[in-house]
Every structure is written in C-alpha cells, then in structure tokens.
C-alpha cells in the first residue's frame, strides 16, 4: 500500500515536471516568436523610414524637392554639387524625423547609364539601433528634352504620347519664361517692341548691343541696351502683332560666339557669320538667313506653329545638337530638370 502511494507521488512529480517543462518551452517559444516578430517589424520600420526620406525629396510640394532641384542645377552648371562641406547633402529637419531615428543626411551622386547622366540618392535610418540603407536611382532631365535632336517640335516628338506632347508645348509656349539660378543671369523680357536688333558686337563699346523698335518699319531705335557678357537671355513676346529679332554678326570677328537663350513670337533673322551656342525658341514664326555663309548654331531649336518647312532649317543653318550646351542653358527653363525615380532598393553606397 505504502509502496503504491510512493509510486503515485513519484509519478505525479515526473508528470508535473514534464508539464512544467512543456509550459516553460511553450512560453519561451511564444516569447521568442514575439521577439522575432517585433524584430522583423522594427527592421521593416527602419527600412520604411529610410525609404520615406527618399520619397520626401521627390515630393514636388516639399522644400527638400527644391533643394534637390537646386543641387541638380548646380551640378549641371559646375559639374559638382557645391563648394561647401555639405555639397552633396540634403539635411532632413528634426521635425520630419521619427523620434527614434537620428539619421538626417541624404546623399546624392551622379553616374552614367547608357551615355545618359543619372542621379543616385542614399538615405539611412537607425530606428531602435537597427541601421538600414536605402538607395534610389533617378533620371532628372525632362524626357521631352532628351531626344538628341537639334529641333524640338511636335513633329520630332511624335514617338511620345500625343496628349502629353500637346500639353508640354502648350505649357512651354503659353507663358514662356526663364528662371534665374543663383541670380547669375539678366533676363530681358520685352512685351511692347515689335523689332529687336542685336549687334554682336558694337564697334565702339566692344559689347553686345540691343536696339529696340516699337514698329518693324521704324528706323530710329527708341531704346538701347548693352550687355556686359557674351551671354543673352532674351524673351520677345508679341503674340498679337508678331515681333522679329534680327541678329547681326561681325564678319571680322568670326571666332566670337554668342551664347544663351532667345525666344521670339515671330521671325528670327540672321545676318553675317554668326556663331551661337544655346537654345532658340520660335513661336508662330520662322528663321531666315541673310548671309553667304551658313550660321553655326550648337544646341537646340524649339518650335511651335512654325511658319515654314522645319526641314529647311538645317539647309540654312549648320545646326548641331550638343548635350553639354543644352544642359548648360536648359537649366534656366522651367521643368527642364524633372527628376523621375525609377529604382529603390535596400543597400547601396555613395562615396562622396
């Protein structure tokens, strides 16, 4: 009898011990699963925080997008991001960071892909001491300007979606304007003159001279302007009457090059051995050449409602598309730089 009782006690102890071990193992498994789940959530959260910083820079309504645009413009012009220690950085404000994340630097770089300059962007986070790197790659030149063709018009953009082409041309020409960068150019916008003569250069002052006329048949200029550089940023608007711009090159100093951007609602007339590097935009007009030698233009023509056969332009002008020239002056045209993020992935480095 006593022997049976002892056996029962021992069996109860063994069963209790087994149940204790099983329950402890079960509790530990639940705890471990919980920790793994939390760790997985924290890793995801850290990744998403880094990713969100990249998307913040591509939000057109944010100040970080403005910083990105300025950085890209600076790179296009100077082939570097800047001269300060933060030259390729965008700094995220503290109020835009998660309280458990201290990484506030976004790094930028540039790389070539298929002979086209692309951008790279790197964001990091350290949420709950979990470090994540997220890398993005993007194009930044508006695809409408990336045709590698010297003439940009509805005809040359026919490979793109028709509706988007119409919208692009309408936005560009309805209110053509330029945006100064670092206040480094003087934009001459003319609305009340029908004719503008540009002399490159004036014999007395050795500067570029602009003569302004109220009417096309007027013989005496009602205004004059001298430029201090060889760059011109001229917008001549007169959609009702159609204006004209005449450029007179100096046949003696044929090595001189006029640079910049010229827009006209009407005709562009070229005289002499002109060398021009830049962008010419013609709305509801045409280009005429009055010289024995073909003018040399490196850059791009942008045409809307052209009043002649576009193919004759390259017969009249030695016209060549130059990406470096188009980039140099395109950065002053709104939406020339239009970043488009095409890759986001975990990992990646930027050495700069």
């Amino acid at each position: 009898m006593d022997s049976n009782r002892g056996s029962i006690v021992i069996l109860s102890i063994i069963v209790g011990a087994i149940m204790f071990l099983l329950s402890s193992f079960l509790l530990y498994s639940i705890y471990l699963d919980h920790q793994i789940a939390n760790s997985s959530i924290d890793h995801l959260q850290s990744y998403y925080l880094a990713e969100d910083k990249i998307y913040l820079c591509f939000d057109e309504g944010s100040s970080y997008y403005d910083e990105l645009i300025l950085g890209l413009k600076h790179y296009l012009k100077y082939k570097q991001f800047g001269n300060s220690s933060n030259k390729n950085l965008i700094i995220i404000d503290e109020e835009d960071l998660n309280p458990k994340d201290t990484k506030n630097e976004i790094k930028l770089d540039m790389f070539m892909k298929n002979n086209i300059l692309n951008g790279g962007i790197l964001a990091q986070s350290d949420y709950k001491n979990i470090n994540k790197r997220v890398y993005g790659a993007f194009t930044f030149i508006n695809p409408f300007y990336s045709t590698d063709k010297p003439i940009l018009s509805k005809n040359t953009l026919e490979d793109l979606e028709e509706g988007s082409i119409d919208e692009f041309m309408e936005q560009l020409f309805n209110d053509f304007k330029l945006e100064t960068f670092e206040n480094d150019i003087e934009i001459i916008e003319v609305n009340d003159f029908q004719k503008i003569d540009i002399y490159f250069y004036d014999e007395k002052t050795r500067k570029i001279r602009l003569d302004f006329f109220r009417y096309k048949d007027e013989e005496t200029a009602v205004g004059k302007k001298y430029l201090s550089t060889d760059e011109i940023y001229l917008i001549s608007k007169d959609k009702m009457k159609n204006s004209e711009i005449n450029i007179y090159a100096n046949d003696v100093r044929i090595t001189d090059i006029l640079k910049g951007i010229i827009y006209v609602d009407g005709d562009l007339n070229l005289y002499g051995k002109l060398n021009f590097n830049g962008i010419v935009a013609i709305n509801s007009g045409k280009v005429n050449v009055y010289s024995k030698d073909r003018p040399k233009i490196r850059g791009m023509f942008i045409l809307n409602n052209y009043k002649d056969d576009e193919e004759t332009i390259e017969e009249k002008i030695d016209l060549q598309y130059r990406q470096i020239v188009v980039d140099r002056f395109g950065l002053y045209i709104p939406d020339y730089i239009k970043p488009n993020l095409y890759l986001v992935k975990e990992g990646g480095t930027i050495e700069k």
Side-chain angles (χ1 to χ4, degrees), residues 180-220:
T180 184
F181 171 58
E182 297 180 333
N183 296 319
D184 58 343
I185 63 172
E186 179 186 1
I187 300 171
I188 305 168
E189 189 164 355
V190 180
N191 297 306
D192 52 357
F193 294 101
Q194 277 193 273
K195 185 175 75 167
I196 302 171
D197 290 348
I198 303 172
Y199 291 91
F200 186 57
Y201 60 66
D202 179 71
E203 292 291 348
K204 294 181 179 179
T205 63
R206 298 182 179 273
K207 295 180 179 180
I208 298 171
R209 189 183 91 226
L210 282 71
D211 292 351
F212 301 96
F213 301 84
R214 297 275 184 208
Y215 308 101
K216 291 182 181 180
D217 57 356
E218 202 168 37
E219 296 183 359
T220 303

Side-chain angles (χ1 to χ4, degrees), residues 29 68 88 93 174 193 204 210 226 258 262 301 307 324:
S29 297
L68 175 62
N88 70 321
D93 294 335
N174 271 1
F193 294 101
K204 294 181 179 179
L210 282 71
Y226 295 89
L258 181 63
I262 295 176
F301 268 87
K307 300 302 182 183
I324 190 171

Side-chain angles (χ1 to χ4, degrees), residues 96-344:
D96 292 324
L97 289 174
N98 185 287
K100 296 180 181 179
D101 180 16
T102 64
K103 300 291 187 181
N104 67 340
E105 293 183 353
I106 306 293
K107 293 184 179 181
L108 301 171
D109 73 350
M110 293 291 172
F111 65 93
M112 297 299 295
K113 180 180 180 182
N114 299 326
N115 294 320
I116 298 175
L117 191 62
N118 282 237
I121 185 168
L122 178 69
Q124 300 183 63
S125 68
D126 58 355
Y127 179 78
K128 292 186 178 181
N129 294 320
I130 298 174
N131 292 284
K132 288 289 183 180
R133 290 171 173 263
V134 177
Y135 180 84
F138 60 95
T139 59
F140 61 90
I141 302 299
N142 191 322
F144 287 108
Y145 295 102
S146 301
T147 62
D148 291 335
K149 297 177 182 178
I151 298 177
L152 184 66
S153 69
K154 290 183 179 180
N155 294 327
T156 59
L157 291 173
E158 58 188 8
D159 293 338
L160 300 175
E161 187 178 347
E162 185 175 351
S164 62
I165 296 172
D166 292 336
E167 183 180 356
F168 167 74
M169 298 300 284
E170 184 177 352
Q171 289 179 348
L172 181 64
F173 281 93
N174 271 1
D175 185 25
F176 190 93
K177 59 183 179 181
L178 301 177
E179 296 176 343
T180 184
F181 171 58
E182 297 180 333
N183 296 319
D184 58 343
I185 63 172
E186 179 186 1
I187 300 171
I188 305 168
E189 189 164 355
V190 180
N191 297 306
D192 52 357
F193 294 101
Q194 277 193 273
K195 185 175 75 167
I196 302 171
D197 290 348
I198 303 172
Y199 291 91
F200 186 57
Y201 60 66
D202 179 71
E203 292 291 348
K204 294 181 179 179
T205 63
R206 298 182 179 273
K207 295 180 179 180
I208 298 171
R209 189 183 91 226
L210 282 71
D211 292 351
F212 301 96
F213 301 84
R214 297 275 184 208
Y215 308 101
K216 291 182 181 180
D217 57 356
E218 202 168 37
E219 296 183 359
T220 303
V222 296
K224 294 181 183 292
K225 184 175 181 63
Y226 295 89
L227 303 183
S228 58
T229 71
D230 60 355
E231 293 187 1
I232 184 169
Y233 299 87
L234 174 64
I235 301 175
S236 178
K237 295 181 178 179
D238 193 346
K239 289 184 171 62
M240 297 299 295
K241 299 178 181 178
N242 270 14
S243 55
E244 69 176 31
I245 293 178
N246 302 296
I247 303 180
Y248 297 91
N250 189 311
D251 288 337
V252 177
R253 297 175 59 90
I254 59 174
T255 58
D256 288 341
I257 300 175
L258 181 63
K259 307 169 187 174
I261 301 175
I262 295 176
Y263 170 94
V264 57
D265 282 333
D267 293 346
L268 175 66
N269 302 314
L270 306 178
Y271 299 83
K273 298 179 180 179
L274 175 70
N275 291 321
F276 180 81
N277 287 358
I279 297 173
V280 175
I282 298 177
N283 184 39
S284 299
K286 62 181 180 177
V287 59
N288 300 301
V289 175
Y290 301 100
S291 66
K292 296 179 181 179
D293 300 299
R294 296 164 68 201
K296 294 181 180 179
I297 296 182
R298 304 294 180 259
M300 175 186 286
F301 268 87
I302 307 176
L303 309 176
N304 186 49
N305 297 324
Y306 193 67
K307 300 302 182 183
D308 199 356
D309 185 353
E310 293 179 11
E311 294 183 358
T312 63
I313 294 178
E314 295 187 73
E315 296 174 4
K316 303 174 185 176
I317 297 172
D318 179 4
L319 177 62
Q320 294 182 21
Y321 178 87
R322 294 282 177 85
Q323 185 68 56
I324 190 171
V325 174
V326 175
D327 285 345
R328 168 67 179 83
F329 298 103
L331 61 89
Y332 300 108
I333 298 176
D335 286 338
Y336 181 80
I337 295 178
K338 201 172 183 65
N340 180 42
L341 194 65
Y342 64 82
L343 172 69
V344 178

Side-chain angles (χ1 to χ4, degrees), residues 32-48 127 130 132:
L32 188 61
D33 288 343
H34 180 71
Q35 290 296 101
I36 292 173
N38 281 345
S39 176
S40 178
I41 291 172
D42 290 342
H43 274 271
L44 280 174
Q45 181 66 14
S46 186
Y47 171 85
Y48 287 138
Y127 179 78
I130 298 174
K132 288 289 183 180

